[in-house]
Amino acid sequence: MKTRLTTAGTLLALAAAACGCTPHLPGGSAGPQGTAARPGGPALGALKELPVKGRAPKTGYDRTGKFGPAWSDATTAPGGHNSCDTRNDVLIRDLRDVRFRSGSHCTVASGTLPDPYTGQNIAFVRGPQTSLAVQVDHVVALSDAWQTGAQALTQQQREALANDPLELVAASGPANSQKSDADAASWLPSNKAFRCTYVARQIAVKAKYRLWITPAERTAMTRVLETCPDQQLPRDDSQGVALNTPK
């Protein structure tokens, strides 16, 4: 399978921690203050560096208005402007045995998803009655992001967050619907083997975009990562659903 994502290869927000700088997020403007985590380091250590606060009100949240139209290719996120929309980018990355619509090297017609959330293999066939079997999940739900710091980001930064491959995972449609806008304190994948990777990715997204976690979220994440203390924090250039595991 040929990967179409062209990642930036660096976590600007995370790497800045090494020099003590104020990081700049996608779009060029500094994000909210906080201590960024080091890329590639242990996720448990990165978790301890995230700010902990209560959840802000959801007032003003609007998916399209605040985070842009779904799956736009016109963002500063890694993979943006590659002539393939974000949803298809993620399907190309996460599905196996990918087949494209006739005449296209972008639109995925079918494939098989090794679903990280349930541990099952799910057949994907594009169509009005079948496409929803596989959905693309925002690992940090956008409404959760809105209530934990994204209100302070620029529009450009929020649109980058919504289309960042670090933030996105192809997953079972029913599992994604069950998760809804829950954080780690309210929902974890039923596939226990994926929970460490899932939580590590949430931490990486929150660190990159200068978001905070709630006390309950920190407790839940700590509980998961204590079972895998060597779990690494993923980077923008980590490949595949399992991130550090080659396909």
Side-chain angles (χ1 to χ4, degrees):
M1 180 179 70
K2 183 176 180 181
T3 300
R4 289 287 302 268
L5 289 176
T6 53
T7 58
T10 57
L11 275 175
L12 298 179
L14 306 184
C19 67
C21 316
T22 299
H24 285 69
L25 301 172
S29 300
Q33 295 300 309
T35 303
R38 293 182 298 277
L44 190 58
L47 171 61
K48 294 176 181 177
E49 296 178 2
L50 289 177
V52 181
K53 304 180 186 180
R55 189 178 300 278
K58 196 174 178 179
T59 307
Y61 172 72
D62 176 72
R63 195 303 184 199
T64 302
K66 300 302 183 182
F67 290 90
W71 316 132
S72 171
D73 186 42
T75 74
T76 58
H81 300 279
N82 69 347
S83 300
C84 188
D85 67 84
T86 303
R87 175 176 166 78
N88 278 295
D89 277 337
V90 174
L91 293 178
I92 293 167
R93 182 194 68 185
D94 291 354
L95 269 60
R96 299 180 181 177
D97 303 320
V98 169
R99 293 181 180 274
F100 295 96
R101 178 180 290 170
S102 179
S104 174
H105 293 288
C106 171
T107 303
V108 176
S110 65
T112 301
L113 174 69
D115 177 37
Y117 287 179
T118 65
Q120 304 298 312
N121 288 328
I122 300 175
F124 171 78
V125 179
R126 182 175 295 275
Q129 305 301 320
T130 54
S131 287
L132 290 179
V134 172
Q135 299 178 16
V136 175
D137 179 40
H138 290 91
V139 176
V140 175
L142 295 184
S143 63
D144 174 70
W146 178 254
Q147 294 178 86
T148 57
Q151 296 181 41
L153 302 180
T154 66
Q155 181 70 20
Q156 188 177 44
Q157 289 165 356
R158 287 194 296 268
E159 291 184 15
L161 185 155
N163 290 277
D164 193 327
L166 185 68
E167 156 80 326
L168 302 171
V169 169
S172 154
N176 184 40
S177 297
Q178 180 189 58
K179 172 189 170 181
S180 186
D181 58 358
D183 63 16
S186 303
W187 188 90
L188 290 169
S190 61
N191 179 17
K192 293 182 179 180
F194 189 69
R195 287 181 178 179
C196 289
T197 300
Y198 175 78
V199 167
R201 185 177 279 198
Q202 286 188 324
I203 293 167
V205 170
K206 292 220 167 191
K208 179 175 181 179
Y209 288 92
R210 315 302 284 173
L211 308 178
W212 67 77
I213 54 175
T214 66
E217 195 176 5
R218 178 179 60 179
T219 298
M221 288 177 161
T222 300
R223 185 181 300 116
V224 169
L225 292 177
E226 283 177 342
T227 69
C228 49
D230 294 329
Q231 177 70 41
Q232 297 296 293
L233 193 72
R235 306 182 307 261
D236 270 348
D237 57 354
S238 298
Q239 298 297 312
V241 167
L243 295 176
N244 295 316
T245 302
K247 291 187 177 181

